Amino acid sequence: MRAVVQTVARASVTVAGEQVGAITDGLLVLLGVTHSDTAATAATMARKVHELRILDEERSAAEVGAPILVVSQFTLYGDARKGRRPSWTAAAPAEAAEPLVAEFATALRDRGATVQTGRFRAHMLVESVNVGPRTVLLEL
């Protein structure tokens, strides 16, 4: 599992003209799932994201109650080492990835986080205003 975590002043996801998720003063998480990921992987990644000390004064979302916007992002497993057209073979198929993205969001909520999400398999418009900018790549 891979996650790109960004601190944001605001972030939102729009699908077909409808805003489906939005936060202010929190974390935007772009989440990619690979073939070997499990529910345990999702829970571990949720803990790491929630406790990541990336906010002001090296504090975490868990400490300050910052909201989290989770957006599935299979392209995090794109491989363009051989040419200009990425291969997506390392990304888990949608049928396997979707429940793990949901499990990740549920694990964050179980930890007390306020979580918004994008919409799986939808053409999403993701907008964000980064703070810092502070961006971290996490990989399990």
Side-chain angles (χ1 to χ4, degrees):
M1 192 167 276
R2 289 179 181 160
V4 173
V5 183
Q6 297 180 311
T7 57
V8 295
R10 64 182 178 274
S12 64
V13 178
T14 302
V15 175
E18 173 193 357
Q19 188 176 78
V20 297
I23 63 165
T24 57
D25 299 321
L27 300 177
L28 170 61
V29 179
L30 306 176
L31 186 69
V33 177
T34 194
H35 302 280
S36 59
D37 291 336
T38 65
T41 309
T44 299
M45 183 63 85
R47 179 187 55 77
K48 288 182 76 79
V49 166
H50 199 223
E51 295 177 0
L52 184 65
R53 296 180 172 279
I54 191 175
L55 296 170
D56 289 342
E57 300 175 11
E58 296 184 2
R59 297 183 69 189
S60 69
E63 290 177 282
V64 302
I68 301 171
L69 176 60
V70 177
V71 178
S72 63
Q73 187 81 31
F74 78 92
T75 60
L76 289 178
Y77 279 99
D79 183 355
R81 289 178 291 182
K82 295 182 182 179
R84 297 170 294 170
R85 181 177 292 143
S87 167
W88 312 113
T89 58
E95 298 75 25
E98 185 172 12
L100 291 175
V101 172
E103 182 68 30
F104 173 80
T106 297
L108 285 170
R109 289 183 183 108
D110 289 349
R111 297 180 58 79
T114 300
V115 179
Q116 296 283 309
T117 63
R119 188 170 295 155
F120 203 89
R121 282 188 160 175
H123 185 262
M124 296 179 277
L125 299 178
V126 180
E127 295 183 271
S128 67
V129 175
N130 295 11
V131 174
R134 290 181 292 236
T135 302
V136 174
L137 172 65
L138 299 176
E139 188 164 14
L140 296 179

